[in-house]
Amino acid sequence: MNTAMQKVAETVIKLKYNNEVIFWKEEYTSSKGKVVTITAPELRSYIRKENFRVIDGEPVQLKGSIATKVTADDIYKHCLKYVETFEDPIIEAAFIRQGETLLLKNKGIIISLRECEIPHLRDTKTTSYHFYKNGILKVEDACDFELIPYEKAKGFIWEDEIKDREFHTLNDEDIERSMFSKFLQNITNDEEHFLSLCSAIGYLIHVYKDERKPICVIINDENLVDEGKPEGGTGKGLIVKAISQIVEKAMYNGKNSDFTNNKFAFQNVRETTAVIVIDDAPRNFDLEALFSVLTDDMPIERKHKEVKVIPYEKSPKFVITTNYSIKGTSSSYKRRRFDTFLTNYYSDMRTPSDEFGCEFFHGWDAEEWKLFDFFMMCCLRNYLTEGLITFENEALRLKMLKNETSSDFFELMEERFSLKNILYSYNAVRQILISEYGEKYYFLEKNKRKIVEWVEMYAEEKGYSIKKSRDGAGTNFTFQ
């Protein structure tokens, strides 16, 4: 076709499609009739016009401030649906054949899409955002709750982050009407304990990580046991489920997961994951295995894919539920953990569903959901104001000490080695444990440093300082 005829054809096409966006050329030949060719530059322009973008190398579609993750198949189907509106089987056939090559077999068009121009709307140190059907809830330290229309958002929101319910600001007295609030009051000892647990919940639903506070929340039972089978059913699972109604979680079985040697351990973590839950951690759970991801960037390795690194400030927080005390009392452990515990108000014989007459979450009506959301946001706002609130419990500290050392050691120290200003021998403590309490302490013959560590833990619990000295028999200690 000569130049003049080509211009005539282009003019005809413009008139035919009334200036609609098209990404194909039409030519007419005597032998084949109308021939349609999909043009890659115009196709890419159309896809951009439809607000398809790339975020961290993955395609998304923006609808206002809301971003939805898509695949190459989704983009292909979106374009095909548009082509079908012209009701021209020749164009449809051309796109089905050529579009598959341009969008599914080759990745050039999708890879070349623009990076999303607006940032992800994320929490800051003093502000948290949660997304409901009726708007963006802005929660700030000591401020009234504020609902912001989505069209006024100062960043994009993942579609998956939007809850399928509305938020309503209630009165302060409505907090006590919440079923979940009553549940938390039942599993805490007093107001101070209740506020401490609420602060841990607030911390976990605040999607902001402070590099100075790389905290893992550990939820435990009040009646820890050193030996034998621990009791469960105290409500730890319901707390985790409550948190997952507000932010996205990734769940791991604490007894089966390997966070030390399995390089694919965190492959279930997504960009929108806010909390990693390690459920039912065993007695010997190694908290130190999490130190690197608690304090640094999180590498996500999936099979047959490149390693993706989530920056520390965007990586999830951790919560561990367990029926045992998690070992670790040194300063490096203490600055990475926040322990909270539940009373044994509930058990297998008395469950929350028995007491409240319905299953939590699944059995709630719209009014109960309003109360729940308002209560959880109050927990968040109080956390932004007060931070994590520590609840001291002497009985729990003693049980944790016994778990770090042993009940036999604690009993021995209390009976024979507890006085101040008396010279004691580390060797004497070790030999009495071995001779009077049996073979389970034979390991102390090879690991003589362990008794020194245990005595230091005991002294810290009692509030003692230690003065060490040496003589011909070995190292001695005096409590001061």
Side-chain angles (χ1 to χ4, degrees), residues 252-309:
Y252 290 85
N253 186 320
K255 293 181 178 178
N256 300 330
S257 301
D258 181 1
F259 299 104
T260 303
N261 302 308
N262 182 7
K263 62 182 180 179
F264 303 115
F266 297 113
Q267 63 178 328
N268 295 330
V269 174
R270 307 192 307 164
E271 295 84 352
T272 50
T273 302
V275 174
I276 291 176
V277 179
I278 301 174
D279 185 49
D280 199 18
R283 179 196 296 274
N284 60 347
F285 183 82
D286 183 13
L287 182 60
E288 190 173 0
L290 300 177
F291 278 8
S292 62
V293 288
L294 281 172
T295 59
D296 208 341
D297 299 341
M298 176 178 287
I300 306 297
E301 187 165 354
R302 298 180 175 91
K303 294 180 180 179
H304 312 301
K305 292 188 177 181
E306 293 183 359
V307 177
K308 184 174 183 178
V309 178

Side-chain angles (χ1 to χ4, degrees), residues 118-305:
I118 57 176
H120 184 204
L121 183 60
R122 295 186 61 87
D123 290 3
T124 67
K125 185 176 182 179
T126 59
T127 305
S128 186
Y129 300 96
H130 292 271
F131 311 105
Y132 290 86
K133 286 174 65 175
N134 58 333
I136 302 168
L137 180 68
K138 184 178 181 181
V139 183
E140 291 184 288
D141 169 15
C143 293
D144 292 337
F145 296 135
E146 179 184 359
L147 270 175
I148 303 170
Y150 281 99
E151 54 268 24
K152 293 186 178 180
K154 295 182 179 179
F156 75 82
I157 297 100
W158 290 112
E159 183 182 38
D160 292 345
E161 293 180 301
I162 302 175
K163 302 167 187 60
D164 190 24
R165 57 186 188 269
E166 295 185 350
F167 180 85
H168 296 272
T169 299
L170 306 176
N171 299 316
D172 289 345
E173 54 266 26
D174 291 319
I175 293 175
E176 296 184 358
R177 294 200 298 119
S178 164
M179 192 179 296
F180 188 67
S181 173
K182 294 175 183 177
F183 160 74
L184 293 184
Q185 291 176 41
N186 289 341
I187 58 176
T188 50
N189 287 308
D190 51 31
E191 182 70 11
E192 184 181 354
H193 188 185
F194 173 76
L195 292 175
S196 176
L197 181 55
C198 289
S199 76
I201 292 172
Y203 166 78
L204 291 169
I205 62 176
H206 181 213
V207 190
Y208 170 83
K209 293 185 71 173
D210 189 337
E211 292 185 0
R212 299 168 300 173
K213 299 176 182 178
I215 300 295
C216 172
V217 173
I218 301 173
I219 306 176
N220 216 317
D221 293 336
E222 185 176 40
N223 67 335
L224 295 172
V225 294
D226 296 313
E227 297 177 3
K229 183 179 179 181
E231 295 183 13
T234 56
K236 298 185 291 293
L238 277 185
I239 292 175
V240 168
K241 287 182 180 179
I243 291 167
S244 70
Q245 304 304 317
I246 304 298
V247 296
E248 183 181 317
K249 76 175 188 301
M251 198 82 173
Y252 290 85
N253 186 320
K255 293 181 178 178
N256 300 330
S257 301
D258 181 1
F259 299 104
T260 303
N261 302 308
N262 182 7
K263 62 182 180 179
F264 303 115
F266 297 113
Q267 63 178 328
N268 295 330
V269 174
R270 307 192 307 164
E271 295 84 352
T272 50
T273 302
V275 174
I276 291 176
V277 179
I278 301 174
D279 185 49
D280 199 18
R283 179 196 296 274
N284 60 347
F285 183 82
D286 183 13
L287 182 60
E288 190 173 0
L290 300 177
F291 278 8
S292 62
V293 288
L294 281 172
T295 59
D296 208 341
D297 299 341
M298 176 178 287
I300 306 297
E301 187 165 354
R302 298 180 175 91
K303 294 180 180 179
H304 312 301
K305 292 188 177 181

Side-chain angles (χ1 to χ4, degrees), residues 348-362:
D348 293 337
M349 303 301 294
R350 177 171 59 180
T351 67
S353 58
D354 293 334
E355 179 162 338
F356 291 98
C358 70
E359 291 290 333
F360 272 45
F361 313 117
H362 302 294

Side-chain angles (χ1 to χ4, degrees), residues 20-31:
E20 291 277 1
V21 176
I22 61 173
F23 41 82
W24 58 85
K25 293 190 301 183
E26 297 180 10
E27 296 179 340
Y28 293 85
T29 66
S30 58
S31 59

